[in-house]
Amino acid sequence: MKKILWWLIAGTKGGINRARIIHNIQKRPYNANQLAEKLELDYKTVRHHIKVLEDNNVITSSGEKYGTMYFLSSTMEENYELFQEIWNEIKED
């Protein structure tokens, strides 16, 4: 999981936005529209990052279409401290 998180957050252009999504979903579930509003990002951008995070087992979803809510996966919940360490290191740079 450590390598995946480093790649998803620090190794790619959209990493900061993915980190912001992870950080917010950890607090409570959101749908894509709510995340777009909260993070002040385009809806399609949020959907792209959600797909990347889902494909890498960082988040999971429940529901259908517009009402789909996103949650941290159990693997991500177990490794949230690791995410915080990476996030803190990146923010300092």
Side-chain angles (χ1 to χ4, degrees):
M1 188 65 161
K2 185 175 186 175
K3 289 179 183 177
I4 290 172
L5 286 175
W6 270 106
W7 176 73
L8 288 172
I9 297 166
T12 58
K13 183 179 176 183
I16 298 298
N17 287 330
R18 283 192 278 278
R20 292 172 63 210
I21 290 170
I22 293 167
H23 176 74
N24 279 279
I25 289 177
Q26 189 270 339
K27 295 176 185 177
R28 63 166 275 243
Y30 284 94
N31 67 32
N33 190 56
Q34 291 168 326
L35 282 168
E37 288 179 16
K38 179 152 183 75
L39 301 176
E40 297 180 351
L41 295 171
D42 182 74
Y43 176 79
K44 289 182 180 182
T45 300
V46 170
R47 291 288 311 136
H48 165 75
H49 292 307
I50 285 172
K51 179 167 181 2
V52 171
L53 293 170
E54 277 189 304
D55 289 349
N56 286 280
N57 194 32
V58 174
I59 64 174
T60 186
S61 62
S62 180
E64 294 181 14
K65 298 187 181 187
Y66 181 79
T68 301
M69 298 295 284
Y70 297 95
F71 306 83
L72 293 182
S73 68
S74 55
T75 303
M76 185 63 213
E77 285 179 353
E78 293 167 6
N79 290 281
Y80 193 77
E81 283 185 32
L82 175 60
F83 162 76
Q84 287 181 306
E85 289 172 20
I86 295 169
W87 178 239
N88 288 335
E89 192 168 327
I90 291 169
K91 287 194 311 187
E92 292 175 4
D93 290 344

